[in-house]
Amino acid sequence: QNYLDNFWPDLKAAHELFDSILQARRERESESQENNGKEYPEHLPMEILEAGIKSGRYIQGTLNVNKHRAQLEAFVRLQGFGSKETG
């Protein structure tokens, strides 16, 4: 902030960008405090997951991620579906 104020006082876009970044950082810190310092919320307890799977609310399977396009391509292979095994 001091740098912008001292060297670029008339550069409105830079000041707006700085304010935006500062606000986003404050929001992330606030969320982190709400989650007891953890970046991500905890997983659901196992008993809730098992009940959700039985009720059909959740599905269970294996996550497959394309190693060449990991950010763009992934899918969940459901257990009991798409298997070549016969039984």
Side-chain angles (χ1 to χ4, degrees), residues 59-67 69-78 81-82:
I59 59 171
Q60 183 174 5
T62 303
L63 177 64
N64 293 280
V65 179
N66 183 324
K67 67 181 179 180
R69 298 178 50 162
Q71 294 180 342
L72 302 173
E73 189 173 313
F75 63 94
V76 175
R77 184 180 306 271
L78 300 178
F81 292 93

Side-chain angles (χ1 to χ4, degrees), residues 6-42:
N6 290 328
F7 294 100
W8 303 100
D10 298 327
L11 192 56
K12 185 178 178 183
H15 287 272
E16 289 175 356
L17 178 60
F18 177 81
D19 291 340
S20 174
I21 292 169
L22 188 60
Q23 180 63 29
R25 184 176 175 190
R26 287 180 182 151
E27 288 174 7
R28 188 173 348 141
E29 288 172 355
S30 174
E31 289 171 1
S32 179
Q33 288 174 355
E34 290 173 6
N35 292 326
N36 297 323
K38 298 174 184 164
E39 187 172 350
Y40 300 102
E42 291 191 19

Side-chain angles (χ1 to χ4, degrees), residues 38-53:
K38 298 174 184 164
E39 187 172 350
Y40 300 102
E42 291 191 19
H43 296 285
L44 295 173
M46 185 57 77
E47 58 272 7
I48 292 176
L49 291 174
E50 289 173 347
I53 290 169

